[in-house]
Amino acid sequence: DFVGEVRQVDVIIRNHGLIAANNLRLGLPQMGGFTFEVPTTELGTLAAQASFKVPMLIRKSSPREAQKGGGDCAGSLQAVWEL
């Protein structure tokens, strides 16, 4: 049983373009059975040709919480910015 198990992964967000990405924000995955945590979802400005490394904790929820979320085991992290 892996209830309460926590993993940390580093999410690398890279701007390959020539223009800064302003007001960069993260949208965390919504997935039954897991919670996702980052220090902040408001990252500010990502300069052209630069990157951010964001530590993310992935925590497995209780079996009861996992049942609420359905059986899917897929999620997506979103990055939204302005020019």
Side-chain angles (χ1 to χ4, degrees):
D1 192 16
F2 296 101
V3 173
E5 185 175 351
V6 177
R7 298 279 186 230
Q8 179 177 331
V9 297
D10 290 326
V11 176
I12 307 296
I13 301 169
R14 182 173 306 275
N15 180 353
H16 293 275
L18 300 176
I19 300 172
N22 298 309
N23 196 23
L24 179 61
R25 302 170 307 283
L26 295 180
L28 299 178
Q30 300 291 317
M31 189 167 64
F34 294 90
T35 58
F36 299 86
E37 303 169 19
V38 294
T40 182
T41 58
E42 304 289 328
L43 300 177
T45 298
L46 179 56
Q49 302 296 311
S51 63
F52 282 145
K53 179 167 74 171
V54 180
M56 181 168 60
L57 292 179
I58 304 170
R59 189 178 315 272
K60 189 169 185 183
S61 305
S62 69
R64 180 170 289 179
E65 289 297 315
Q67 290 173 356
K68 288 184 198 175
D72 292 342
C73 190
S76 62
L77 178 72
Q78 297 177 343
V80 179
W81 67 93
E82 300 168 3
L83 295 178

